[in-house]
Amino acid sequence: MFGIYDRDGILRFVNSDREACLDYAELFELKSTNFSLINLIDSLEISNDINLDLNQVKNNN
């Protein structure tokens, strides 16, 4: 998964295809000095310590 961030750090586009991200940049005439293409999967830190039960709403039925 890739993402294009503009020079202000705002995520502009996400796609699993790197070329689609570059096509987006070309379509909107973003110069390579004005955006960053980041592999989002590699940049994620996944922790096994996450407790998903903390935010679960209890069913009162």
Side-chain angles (χ1 to χ4, degrees), residues 1-5 36-41 43:
M1 187 67 62
F2 295 90
I4 286 187
Y5 288 83
S36 299
L37 178 63
I38 298 174
N39 186 335
L40 299 175
I41 300 300
S43 64

Side-chain angles (χ1 to χ4, degrees), residues 22-47:
L22 294 175
D23 289 343
Y24 173 91
E26 183 179 340
L27 177 67
F28 288 97
E29 299 177 354
L30 298 174
K31 307 291 182 213
S32 62
T33 57
N34 292 336
F35 73 88
S36 299
L37 178 63
I38 298 174
N39 186 335
L40 299 175
I41 300 300
D42 287 346
S43 64
L44 287 178
E45 290 184 23
I46 300 174
S47 172

Side-chain angles (χ1 to χ4, degrees), residues 43-59:
S43 64
L44 287 178
E45 290 184 23
I46 300 174
S47 172
N48 291 330
D49 298 330
I50 298 173
N51 184 352
L52 298 177
D53 292 327
L54 290 175
N55 292 324
Q56 296 292 324
V57 176
K58 297 201 182 227
N59 187 349

